[in-house]
Amino acid sequence: MADLPNMHDAEPIPEAARQEIDRLLQSGDLFRYTAPEAAPVALLEEEFASMLGAKFALAVSSCSAALFLSLKALGLPRDARVLIPAFTFAAVPSSIVHADCIPVLCEVDGSYRIDMADFEAKLDDVQAVMISHMRGHTSDMDAILRLAEARGLPVIEDAAHSLGTLWNGRRIGTLGQVGCFSFQSYKMLNAGEGGILLTDDADLIARAVILSGAYEHNWKKHPVLHDAFAKWQNKLPLYNLRMSNLSAAVIRPQLAELDRRVRDGRRNHDYVASRIDQSPWITVPPSLPQEERAPDSLQFSLCDMTDSEVDAFVDTAKTMGVSIQVFGRSTDNARAFWNWEFLGPAPDLPKTRAMLARACDCRLPARLSLSDCDAVADVILSAVNHVMQQQVQATA
Ligand SMILES: *Cc1c(COP(=O)(O)O)cnc(C)c1O
């Protein structure tokens, strides 16, 4: 078996960041609102909005902060109910709790996508929808947008892990009223921490900018119609969730890398997926026809295996050098809805529960070569064969 690649480390930050960081360290100019204009955070907002074709962007401290600010900027009242897929990261329902709203979970099917029948059934009882494109898997956005629009419900996209994904040729994160992205280290663009929200709505961005901590007249440094700001001055709390110039300096030179990362990530994913999908015990749900994915990790589901076979597969793969998590088989996985005990008793969601009990998660960075990918696919196939061959013998 070939040597296994390092599956954990991020890509180095482009060298161009160093000079800008040196300049910031020399001047001490780390706060986004100190410079009269052209602060790194403001430039990042301008570049990111233009790259994705959105009118406005606001860079903040995390994607969670962006989700929270989206709910607040939409003016949702206390105890408003917000529909989310039950397959997401704990930070998503947490951002809803943070905004004094109530997360309502809908079922996700075996393809990691929203179960549209359950979505529609729950839609009349919510005030907003937050679509988490979990691990970059896109649910049927045509149907979601149509159903939400028919009821006048705002749609927030959690595109934390979907930067670069296209839906009918349009950028994910620009389909709903607001789209939120993450710059945490495991996402396409890495600043350690950070997030950004996008919208075409001038009034909404004005509220989000003030809420994020543009106190006094700092909003004048944002390129939005100033009557929108004047209307909200002193009317909104200041949550201080701003981004630092240092983070922006780390992110900006990575924007030019995005297309390559998306291309290589998709190549690696599709290569490993097509190899392991040959196994009778593995299935990799295909993309939807409207979707062009930008994966930086691999999800696949085990079929016709018992819980103990699933656990043995994970242990065997680990011994062979590839770390795989089954979302629903560890006690503390933050992506298993029954571990979100802060929400109270877990709802009954049998489809999502069954999917999580068999869905595997494996890092697959864009920087791997195809021979690295072969080594990863070899381990996955060997581990599953090892476990299931033993079973075949044991039951014979
Ligand atoms: C990473 C992630 C988040 C949280 O992003 P932060 O920037 O760490 O707050 C939210 N949703 C999804 C789908 C994620 O992958």
Side-chain angles (χ1 to χ4, degrees):
M1 212 170 270
D3 280 348
L4 281 165
N6 175 333
M7 313 251 300
H8 203 263
D9 292 357
E11 282 189 33
I13 304 303
E15 192 55 34
R18 202 179 295 271
Q19 202 186 344
E20 175 68 350
I21 289 169
D22 264 350
R23 188 186 69 80
L24 293 171
L25 296 186
Q26 285 292 332
S27 64
D29 182 10
L30 306 183
F31 182 51
R32 67 164 299 167
Y33 292 127
T34 304
E37 58 188 7
V41 178
L43 295 174
L44 170 66
E45 288 168 347
E46 191 182 318
E47 291 158 357
F48 196 86
S50 120
M51 185 175 84
L52 271 86
K55 281 200 183 129
F56 309 111
L58 171 67
V60 290
S61 53
S62 68
C63 180
S64 301
L67 295 170
F68 162 78
L69 288 170
S70 302
L71 294 164
K72 286 291 181 192
L74 283 164
L76 289 170
R78 179 176 286 274
D79 293 338
R81 293 161 61 83
V82 181
L83 192 56
I84 58 168
F87 176 42
T88 184
F89 184 56
V92 174
S94 302
S95 72
I96 297 171
V97 171
H98 187 192
D100 294 320
C101 297
I102 300 171
V104 177
L105 277 47
C106 87
E107 285 271 40
V108 169
D109 65 22
S111 73
Y112 320 136
R113 296 189 172 84
I114 289 172
D115 177 296
M116 290 309 301
D118 196 47
F119 179 84
E120 192 168 358
K122 288 174 174 161
L123 209 50
D124 287 325
D125 199 26
V126 299
Q127 283 75 58
V129 172
M130 188 181 276
I131 301 299
S132 193
H133 305 299
M134 184 56 174
R135 286 291 188 271
H137 298 278
T138 318
S139 297
D140 184 351
M141 288 305 290
D142 295 339
I144 288 167
L145 293 169
R146 178 166 35 78
L147 291 166
E149 196 175 320
R151 290 161 180 80
L153 298 175
V155 174
I156 301 167
E157 287 182 83
D158 165 23
H161 227 136
S162 277
L163 181 56
T165 301
L166 301 178
W167 179 263
N168 290 324
R170 292 172 63 196
R171 297 262 188 189
I172 277 293
T174 65
L175 307 181
Q177 271 70 27
V178 199
C180 302
F181 297 85
S182 175
F183 301 122
Q184 187 265 342
S185 288
Y186 298 157
K187 316 298 158 104
M188 275 288 174
L189 304 176
N190 166 23
E193 303 283 359
I196 197 162
L197 70 83
L198 292 180
T199 184
D200 286 342
D201 181 331
D203 213 48
L204 194 151
I205 198 75
R207 287 190 298 259
V209 163
I210 293 176
L211 289 161
S212 77
Y215 61 92
E216 296 165 356
H217 283 76
N218 282 315
W219 50 259
K220 293 196 166 155
K221 293 176 181 171
H222 288 264
V224 185
L225 293 174
H226 283 180
D227 53 355
F229 283 113
K231 196 157 86 194
W232 295 105
Q233 170 102 69
N234 298 340
K235 306 277 193 306
L236 297 167
L238 304 164
Y239 292 109
N240 282 8
L241 299 166
R242 296 172 301 252
M243 177 180 277
S244 142
N245 278 340
L246 278 177
S247 302
V250 170
I251 298 161
R252 289 183 60 221
Q254 295 179 58
L255 297 178
E257 309 273 313
L258 181 64
D259 285 349
R260 176 194 49 84
R261 291 182 189 174
V262 167
R263 199 167 52 240
D264 292 354
R266 186 185 300 144
R267 175 202 64 193
N268 290 352
H269 174 277
D270 292 354
Y271 183 75
V272 177
S274 70
R275 279 202 58 201
I276 65 173
D277 204 28
Q278 306 298 317
S279 165
W281 294 290
I282 291 176
T283 172
V284 186
S287 309
L288 295 180
Q290 300 95 322
E291 184 186 20
E292 205 174 324
R293 301 195 60 223
D296 59 5
S297 65
L298 170 71
Q299 289 74 46
F300 58 94
S301 293
L302 300 171
C303 355
D304 300 322
M305 288 170 65
T306 63
D307 283 349
S308 59
E309 285 162 356
V310 168
D311 296 343
F313 163 74
V314 170
D315 291 344
T316 308
K318 175 117 201 133
T319 312
M320 294 176 170
V322 173
S323 188
I324 291 166
Q325 287 188 76
V326 177
F327 294 108
R329 292 293 303 160
S330 62
T331 50
D332 60 353
N333 196 300
R335 299 148 203 93
F337 65 86
W338 54 88
N339 288 332
W340 307 337
E341 291 176 23
F342 53 87
L343 295 182
D348 188 27
L349 297 163
K351 283 188 190 170
T352 312
R353 189 178 279 273
M355 177 276 284
L356 291 169
R358 292 295 176 270
C360 299
D361 191 28
C362 177
R363 287 173 61 77
L364 198 66
R367 61 177 164 70
L368 301 195
S369 68
L370 282 186
S371 63
D372 292 336
C373 291
D374 265 323
V376 175
D378 286 343
V379 166
I380 294 172
L381 291 168
S382 305
V384 81
N385 287 340
H386 176 79
V387 170
M388 297 315 286
Q389 238 46 72
Q390 272 184 351
Q391 290 318 113
V392 171
Q393 281 160 13
T395 51

